[in-house]
Amino acid sequence: MKKNLLAAAAICLFTNLGFSQARLVEKVEKKGSELVIPYEKYVFPNGLTLVVHEDNSDPIVHVDVTYHVGSAREEIKKSGFAHFFEHMMFQGSDNVGDEQHFKIVTAAGGTLNGSTNLDRTNYYETVPNNQLEKMLWLEADRMGFLLDAVTQKKFEVQRSTVKNERGQNYDNRPYGLVGEFTSKNLYPYGHPYSWLTIGYLEDLDRVDVNDLKKFFLRWYGPNNATLTIGGDVKAADVVKMVDKYFGSIPAGPAVEKTVLPAVKLSGDRYASFTDNYARLPILSKTYPTVPNYDKDMGALSCLAQILGQGKNSILYQQIVKSQKAISASSFSRFNELAGEFSFQITPFPGFSLSAMDSLLKQSLVAFEKRGVTDEDIEKFKGGIEAQYINGLQSVSGKVSQLAAFNTFTGNPNMIGKLLDMYRSVTKEDVWRVYNQYLKDKPSVTISVLTKGQNQKPAAPDNYTIDTQNYTAPNYGYDGLTYTKAKDNFDRSKTPGNGANPVVKVPPFWKKDLPSGVKIIGTANSELPTVTISISVPGGHLAQASDTSKIGLASMVADMLNEDTKKYTAEQMAVELQKLGSFISVSQTLDGISFNVQCLKKNVDKTLELLEEKMFSPNFTADAFNRLQKQALEGFKQLKSQPAAIATNVIDKLNYGTGNILGLSDNGTESTVKRLSLKDVQDYYNNYMTSQGTKVVVVGDITEGEILPKLAFLNKLPNKKINLPNPAPAPAIEKTKIYLIDVPKAAQTEFRVSNVTGLKYDATGEYYKAGLMNFALGGAFNSRVNLNLREDKGWTYGARAGFAGDKYTGEYQFSSGIRANATDSALVEVMKELKNYAANGITGEELAFMKSAIGQQDALRYETGNQKAGFIGRILTYDLPANFVETQNKILASLTKKEADALAKKWINPDKMNILLVGDKAKILPGLQKLGYEIIELDIDGNRK
């Protein structure tokens, strides 16, 4: 690494001389093979920090603005402010209209979002490189010119949206409140980690516009922000643009680093609650540890892996493999002010939570007897190295790392230091942190009980939160003033685009082996990694002619992840972790997929392990019985989740009860119960074949290098597999409502769908229909999302679109919508569909769609997974090499008349299945007034 620290006098350039006010404080360049993200760091007079990373491998740019404010800057009775404010930052500013932020970025061919956690809030966009100035204009406008655009109406809509988000992700999700109960019982009353980032509903109801404005003025100044830009840019050009748009924004109040004493527990704390949505109880146990970047974080991460991550972990061996628990895991979490080490265990029926508590303690005793081995350390280090390298595949990944490092340490160049810290972990370190933070130390144990079942917590609740002696922090909200920047240019003018980027579709090679194996690959030397996917014909469709044993392909895939002749599953996991490699087996609709990710230097050893998995599985009765029991218990849990119920049942309604496409690929309780070990072996014997097997290779490896290494695939049996064709879907005579009752559900899951029969076609009517639908349901600024989320505040998100493959195609609207708005929302959904089918797209929407999709190519081929998906489609659908050029011509020439005809042809609101999963008592009276026939179903989709 070459690091230049230049004297301030030599690098301070002044605006009146035509140069930037920015002060270059650091430049880091890569030297040799070290792991480093090169960058230049600047500081502006108003306190804004700019970090620029040049990466010219793809014509894209990622912009990240991270503000050092999260829920840890909140106080009792004012929780959720930081996250709420994140939503408000997308509602327009002086020069950006309401709902225009998403529209402008989408029209630029980009993607965007924001996120809030305990310690920071960030906003980010990934766009083609010719759109950078526009992104800086957008971000600067909401940093310096937001408050006059904040209205009471926008405030109320986003308050409702945040409530929906809380309902969807926490209140109405199994185990969604475990973190909330842990936090309030672990941290002292008033500690900023004692509540979740989402906040409490009563606090969201309490907040008003003025509170939010004060929050902005206190924390959203440039001096509390890091602007990080990475991609196909030149640092000098970036500095000039940032100076233009951000340089004149006044600094906000000074922000001091928060420092709090370490959390200490005087004794074990037990608390419990009943989860209305969980079908299985769980035990969660948490110990306080250290903040992020502490010297012990590496050893604690290694300890978590040894105790509860993977099949060779202590908990798996002691509790899961013996079929006492469905799952048992441990993890170590580090935040800016504190850290946590947690265990989570889900018992099998018949085992109590108190038994799980005892078994956990026994497992720790077993660990003490076993100790920490050299192999533990070796596999931990191998995994960490691969994790860090893989995290650098995208420019967004690199920018996110730089932004976080600078925000919390002031030093963007932390990746090498962190990796060195992990690499230096010793057995003694791991043993020391176990004794220092876990052994005989008090913890917080949360028992999650299920409704209507006679269960007891692990131990009686013994802790009462002490709310006395709390003094709210003085964050300095009094006397804040809103001062806007003064400029010598017109901010109301949206910057134009730079020159269009030159987008290169990844070059690829193809090879057909005599055995019938088809291989496609593309080389990419940016990172020393290799990704391989091998798909063998079979999968869910193999059961189409006998649906009595659906779920078999899923079980076969699970069994292929277990023992082989040479290795137990635990030994295999160890070997892979030492290499920093990953092999997983999964089922698809029409195959079994073997997926590999590894470092190039370890590709030979990894493929040896893959060959062992593919050709030498050892299907044991113990593994089969355990997986079967886990699957059966998993069905119970899925039946408590409205979204999972809706997804399964809509397929059943669309395709019929006897059609393989209408049945879950995981099977049902009755079909999985019928499975036997012999069924697994028979499937393996019958469906492992070379004919029709497809291989996708992406990464730092050439055709000449990889082909000899894949020669073992020629050992696959050379036989033809004929998969049954799915039966046609039944016709829908008229639109009806199908209702499934989930008592007390705060939201209703919507699925409005039909089978179009429109199969995937990259350059045919399927592709054109997708273009047509973009304005209706395919973007954030689509009609359905703007109506239901942004205008009404009824949902966290709504979408509609076509999905197609080689066998069939569907159209579907989906959303989770506030229960008391169910009937009104259904009226709006059907109105949007009918209006679009009748009147089609507007000229403005057509132009927006063409602009958005026409510029997306720059973002499509960056990462290994993106490249694999692209060439994988070419192989699966036998596409010509120039199909993207054909798509671009279709896009450019699509007319309103053509789009309108497609809408009329493929969107048919009069013949759709409407599935609503929610609280019947709340939603049925309103639905009965709408004039639809209503049919009630049970949670399996059967008529009552």
Side-chain angles (χ1 to χ4, degrees):
M1 176 185 71
K2 181 181 179 184
K3 183 175 180 179
N4 300 322
L5 295 175
L6 307 177
I11 58 175
C12 188
L13 305 174
F14 297 95
T15 300
N16 59 4
L17 297 177
F19 299 102
S20 169
Q21 304 175 75
R23 179 168 56 91
L24 174 65
V25 295
E26 187 177 38
K27 182 174 182 178
V28 170
E29 298 173 340
K30 184 174 182 178
K31 184 178 180 182
S33 61
E34 66 179 343
L35 189 64
V36 66
I37 307 173
Y39 65 88
E40 293 181 15
K41 176 178 174 179
Y42 298 83
V43 176
F44 287 79
N46 60 5
L48 176 69
T49 298
L50 169 66
V51 180
V52 184
H53 163 65
E54 295 187 23
D55 176 358
N56 308 120
S57 57
D58 294 283
I60 61 175
V61 177
H62 186 79
V63 177
D64 178 291
V65 185
T66 297
Y67 295 89
H68 197 171
V69 56
S71 56
R73 304 283 193 185
E74 298 164 355
E75 57 192 273
I76 290 291
K77 295 186 179 181
K78 293 185 178 181
S79 66
F81 270 34
H83 174 254
F84 192 173
F85 198 82
E86 176 209 321
H87 280 249
M88 293 303 299
M89 285 281 276
F90 288 97
Q91 301 309 302
S93 47
D94 278 3
N95 302 297
V96 181
D98 185 21
E99 301 172 350
Q100 291 301 298
H101 198 108
F102 271 92
K103 188 172 184 178
I104 289 170
V105 178
T106 304
T111 62
L112 72 160
N113 213 328
S115 69
T116 309
N117 65 23
L118 296 170
D119 305 310
R120 63 99 186 104
T121 305
N122 72 337
Y123 305 87
Y124 50 91
E125 299 90 12
T126 307
V127 292
N129 60 4
N130 64 327
Q131 302 289 338
L132 173 60
E133 184 173 6
K134 196 178 297 179
M135 299 306 108
L136 297 178
W137 169 75
L138 282 170
E139 289 293 355
D141 210 65
R142 60 181 175 184
M143 177 186 282
F145 302 86
L146 180 87
L147 290 189
D148 287 345
V150 175
T151 65
Q152 188 67 33
K153 180 182 178 181
K154 292 179 184 179
F155 175 85
E156 294 297 344
V157 168
Q158 291 309 310
R159 169 154 52 192
S160 182
T161 300
V162 172
K163 287 182 177 181
N164 287 320
E165 182 179 356
R166 178 177 169 108
Q168 182 173 313
N169 294 337
Y170 298 91
D171 295 329
N172 305 319
R173 174 175 289 183
Y175 315 120
L177 296 176
V178 175
E180 185 167 278
F181 274 81
T182 298
S183 296
K184 69 182 182 181
N185 284 284
L186 175 64
Y187 294 100
Y189 184 76
H191 190 289
Y193 287 177
S194 64
W195 53 83
L196 297 181
T197 300
I198 193 72
Y200 292 106
L201 286 176
E202 56 267 31
D203 290 353
L204 293 172
D205 286 333
R206 187 181 294 116
V207 65
D208 63 32
V209 172
N210 290 327
D211 290 322
L212 227 59
K213 288 183 176 181
K214 289 180 180 179
F215 194 85
F216 171 79
L217 292 172
R218 180 65 187 89
W219 305 111
Y220 272 74
N223 52 306
N224 197 35
T226 297
L227 170 59
T228 310
I229 299 168
D232 192 16
V233 298
K234 293 182 179 179
D237 295 338
V238 171
V239 172
K240 290 178 183 177
M241 283 188 273
V242 171
D243 182 57
K244 175 180 178 179
Y245 292 108
F246 290 85
S248 60
I249 299 174
V255 177
E256 302 296 330
K257 183 177 177 64
T258 302
V259 179
L260 294 175
V263 175
K264 293 184 179 180
L265 306 179
S266 58
D268 286 327
R269 298 175 182 176
Y270 284 87
S272 63
F273 72 97
T274 298
D275 191 322
N276 289 327
Y277 296 92
R279 293 294 181 94
L280 300 168
I282 66 168
L283 178 83
S284 175
K285 187 181 292 286
T286 302
Y287 298 80
T289 59
V290 298
N292 210 357
Y293 305 110
D294 184 273
K295 63 179 179 62
D296 286 343
M297 64 183 287
L300 284 164
S301 297
C302 184
L303 177 64
Q305 185 180 94
I306 295 168
L307 291 179
Q309 295 174 15
K311 292 181 177 178
N312 58 318
S313 68
I314 299 295
L315 291 182
Y316 185 88
Q317 291 295 310
Q318 294 288 318
I319 308 177
V320 177
K321 195 170 184 179
S322 59
Q323 300 185 37
K324 299 180 181 72
I326 297 171
S327 63
S329 60
S330 64
F331 48 93
S332 192
R333 180 187 297 111
F334 307 100
N335 295 305
E336 185 179 17
L337 305 178
E340 303 167 9
F341 194 103
S342 299
F343 297 94
Q344 189 162 298
I345 304 174
T346 305
F348 266 118
F351 291 91
S352 66
L353 292 179
S354 61
M356 293 299 104
D357 203 14
S358 298
L359 285 169
L360 175 56
K361 293 172 184 175
Q362 293 171 24
S363 297
L364 295 179
V365 171
F367 165 68
E368 293 173 13
K369 292 179 180 178
R370 168 192 179 277
V372 183
T373 67
D374 291 332
E375 197 168 60
D376 290 332
I377 302 299
E378 184 182 356
K379 68 185 181 68
F380 172 71
K381 292 179 180 179
I384 284 291
E385 179 184 18
Q387 176 184 319
Y388 269 87
I389 291 174
N390 286 321
L392 302 181
Q393 287 192 44
S394 67
V395 67
S396 63
K398 289 181 280 189
V399 165
S400 297
Q401 291 271 30
L402 292 170
F405 291 151
N406 189 77
T407 298
F408 297 121
T409 72
N411 177 16
N413 188 32
M414 288 290 292
I415 190 167
K417 293 180 180 180
L418 283 179
L419 189 55
D420 287 345
M421 180 191 70
Y422 285 121
R423 285 170 171 163
S424 66
V425 169
T426 65
K427 293 188 293 185
E428 292 73 23
D429 290 331
V430 177
W431 189 245
R432 175 181 55 78
V433 297
Y434 170 74
N435 284 284
Q436 184 172 346
Y437 301 108
L438 270 68
K439 182 175 172 58
D440 298 327
K441 299 298 187 293
S443 62
V444 170
T445 301
I446 304 297
S447 296
V448 182
L449 309 177
T450 56
K451 187 178 179 181
Q453 299 186 29
N454 186 21
Q455 298 164 338
K456 293 183 179 180
D461 294 5
N462 68 349
Y463 178 67
T464 301
I465 298 171
D466 182 7
T467 61
Q468 303 299 313
N469 303 316
Y470 168 70
T471 302
N474 182 2
Y475 283 129
Y477 289 119
D478 296 331
L480 297 173
T481 57
Y482 181 34
T483 305
K484 295 184 183 181
K486 296 180 180 179
D487 300 297
N488 56 7
F489 69 98
D490 185 358
R491 283 188 184 262
S492 67
K493 293 183 178 179
T494 305
N497 304 333
N500 286 334
V502 178
V503 181
K504 295 180 180 180
V505 173
F508 59 88
W509 52 267
K510 296 171 79 172
K511 180 72 174 180
D512 293 350
L513 302 184
S515 61
V517 175
K518 296 179 180 295
I519 307 175
I520 191 169
T522 182
N524 176 25
S525 59
E526 287 181 45
L527 290 171
T529 61
V530 177
T531 300
I532 302 171
S533 174
I534 301 171
S535 180
V536 181
H540 188 47
L541 281 184
Q543 279 79 59
S545 56
D546 179 11
T547 59
S548 66
K549 292 186 177 181
I550 58 167
L552 175 57
S554 179
M555 179 63 74
V556 171
D558 289 342
M559 290 290 285
L560 285 166
N561 283 309
E562 294 288 328
D563 297 351
T564 69
K565 297 289 195 300
K566 189 175 179 180
Y567 299 96
T568 64
E570 296 85 349
Q571 291 168 337
M572 176 68 75
V574 169
E575 294 304 311
L576 288 169
Q577 284 178 312
K578 287 192 293 188
L579 298 171
S581 299
F582 176 81
I583 299 176
S584 69
V585 189
S586 58
Q587 69 133 357
T588 63
L589 176 62
D590 57 2
I592 296 288
S593 181
F594 296 81
N595 301 294
V596 179
Q597 190 171 52
C598 64
L599 300 177
K600 182 179 181 179
K601 66 181 181 180
N602 294 328
V603 69
D604 288 334
K605 292 180 180 178
T606 304
L607 290 179
E608 288 176 11
L609 296 173
L610 173 64
E611 181 177 358
E612 173 73 14
K613 268 186 175 291
M614 289 186 71
F615 291 96
S616 302
N618 186 24
F619 298 137
T620 67
D622 284 347
F624 176 81
N625 292 335
R626 170 171 40 82
L627 291 171
Q628 188 178 46
K629 285 180 65 176
Q630 288 175 336
L632 293 173
E633 293 303 321
F635 289 130
K636 296 178 183 178
Q637 186 61 25
L638 287 175
K639 289 179 180 180
S640 68
Q641 300 176 30
I645 295 169
T647 297
N648 282 335
V649 174
I650 192 61
D651 287 340
K652 198 170 187 177
L653 292 174
N654 280 341
Y655 290 100
T657 56
N659 191 320
I660 190 68
L661 297 178
L663 302 171
S664 169
D665 52 12
N666 291 317
T668 66
E669 288 182 75
S670 61
T671 63
V672 170
K673 281 180 181 177
R674 293 191 192 104
L675 298 180
S676 67
L677 185 60
K678 183 177 183 300
D679 292 324
V680 172
Q681 187 66 58
D682 288 346
Y683 178 100
Y684 179 81
N685 294 339
N686 293 333
Y687 287 97
M688 289 300 287
T689 177
S690 60
Q691 288 194 32
T693 289
K694 298 179 177 65
V695 183
V696 178
V697 181
V698 173
D700 188 15
I701 197 162
T702 65
E703 177 183 2
E705 289 174 314
I706 192 61
L707 284 179
K709 301 179 191 299
L710 294 175
F712 68 90
L713 293 176
N714 289 318
K715 294 191 291 185
L716 284 166
N718 191 337
K719 56 187 177 184
K720 180 68 173 176
I721 301 296
N722 293 310
L723 294 178
N725 287 319
I732 300 174
E733 296 178 1
K734 66 174 182 177
T735 297
K736 302 175 185 176
I737 293 175
Y738 295 87
L739 176 62
I740 297 177
D741 184 25
V742 177
K744 295 189 176 180
Q747 288 184 309
T748 302
E749 282 292 331
F750 274 56
R751 301 291 185 272
V752 182
S753 181
N754 63 5
V755 176
T756 63
L758 195 54
K759 300 176 183 179
Y760 177 87
D761 184 344
T763 56
E765 196 144 326
Y766 176 83
Y767 175 69
K768 294 176 184 177
L771 300 179
M772 170 272 294
N773 175 73
F774 190 80
L776 175 61
F780 184 90
N781 281 69
S782 68
R783 292 188 187 184
V784 294
N785 194 58
L786 288 185
N787 186 342
L788 300 174
R789 171 179 162 144
E790 295 300 289
D791 295 342
K792 306 294 195 310
W794 290 338
T795 179
Y796 184 48
R799 64 217 59 86
F802 295 90
D805 53 31
K806 291 187 291 186
Y807 308 99
T808 189
E810 305 147 19
Y811 187 80
Q812 184 173 117
F813 167 86
S814 63
S815 184
I817 293 176
R818 200 173 70 210
N820 62 5
T822 299
D823 53 348
S824 300
L826 182 57
V827 170
E828 293 298 316
V829 171
M830 301 311 291
K831 181 180 73 176
E832 294 287 4
L833 295 177
K834 289 176 181 178
N835 182 47
Y836 204 75
N839 302 311
I841 196 169
T842 68
E844 182 183 353
E845 288 173 331
L846 182 66
F848 172 70
M849 178 273 292
K850 289 187 175 186
S851 176
I853 294 179
Q855 298 183 82
Q856 284 179 355
D857 277 357
L859 278 64
R860 285 179 175 169
Y861 316 117
E862 182 189 14
T863 67
N865 284 336
Q866 287 176 312
K867 290 181 173 72
F870 171 72
I871 64 173
R873 281 193 298 277
I874 291 176
L875 189 62
T876 298
Y877 295 99
D878 194 25
L879 301 177
N882 67 341
F883 83 91
V884 173
E885 295 176 23
T886 305
Q887 287 183 334
N888 290 334
K889 291 177 182 176
I890 293 170
L891 173 67
S893 63
L894 186 71
T895 65
K896 172 175 166 50
K897 183 178 180 180
E898 288 176 302
D900 291 352
L902 288 165
K904 193 176 296 291
K905 180 178 180 180
W906 294 111
I907 299 175
N908 190 351
D910 294 326
K911 293 186 178 182
M912 284 187 163
N913 293 316
I914 300 173
L915 175 63
L916 303 175
V917 183
D919 188 338
K920 173 184 171 182
K922 291 181 184 176
I923 66 178
L924 182 58
L927 295 174
Q928 289 172 328
K929 300 175 183 178
L930 302 184
Y932 293 99
E933 179 182 350
I934 300 174
I935 300 170
E936 293 189 44
L937 307 175
D938 63 19
I939 56 177
D940 293 313
N942 301 313
R943 293 200 181 204
K944 285 188 172 181

